[in-house]
Amino acid sequence: MSVQERRQRERAERERLIVATARELAEEQGWDAVTTRRLAERIEYSQPVLYSHFRGKREIIGAVALEGAAELAAELRAASAGAAEGVRGRVAAVARAYLDFAERNPAVYDAMFQLDGGLVFAAEETPEALKDGFAALLETLRDVTGEGVEAGLLTEVFWASLHGLATLSRAGRLPVGDAERRVWLLVSRLAVV
């Protein structure tokens, strides 16, 4: 291994450590607790080392969001592939997986959809990880679009509905205990057969 390859590997490892530490700190104490000073203390590197990887908190949030999008896409695909109840069952499994991900990873979910991570959505320059997260939803919903319904548009409405359920549930705005009924209502009312 060349010196340059070793340095690149070490740099990538430091970046992974910074992102993992930021994510851990955000999940424990919220994003307000994530500062370059605190990250530097936790990972035992100087602040200039952090700034050599990320220009600031915004870029760190973006890196966490991209990591989370990749994880969410994998979980959605696994849920779809593992569902044994036909098309409706696959769509419901994907909805549950989405909501479970949001509940298990609130800080990551915030990085993905609530905070400014400097990422562009719904555009040509959208990062591949974000496009793949949307594609994971689209792959399941493409099979259930009715005549005259664009699969991408249905996916946007489905995603918006899931996001609303995740956000309102987390904020305590919806009664606890009806999550499964909400999923089935959403699936059935989107004309999913």
Side-chain angles (χ1 to χ4, degrees), residues 92-107:
V94 164
R96 277 189 226 102
Y98 183 99
L99 296 171
D100 290 346
F101 178 89
E103 185 178 344
R104 279 192 330 274
N105 304 285

Side-chain angles (χ1 to χ4, degrees), residues 37 76 145 155:
R37 184 185 58 75
L76 296 177
T145 55
T155 303

Side-chain angles (χ1 to χ4, degrees), residues 49-114:
V49 170
L50 266 72
Y51 285 116
S52 74
H53 291 275
F54 299 98
R55 285 183 287 196
K57 183 174 176 176
R58 181 178 187 221
E59 283 189 6
I60 294 169
I61 290 170
V64 170
L66 293 175
E67 186 177 271
E71 292 171 12
L72 177 59
E75 289 188 27
L76 296 177
R77 287 188 175 103
S80 181
E85 305 165 11
V87 175
R88 185 176 282 197
R90 279 197 341 264
V91 174
V94 164
R96 277 189 226 102
Y98 183 99
L99 296 171
D100 290 346
F101 178 89
E103 185 178 344
R104 279 192 330 274
N105 304 285
V108 173
Y109 193 81
D110 284 349
M112 293 167 64
F113 301 119
Q114 303 289 94

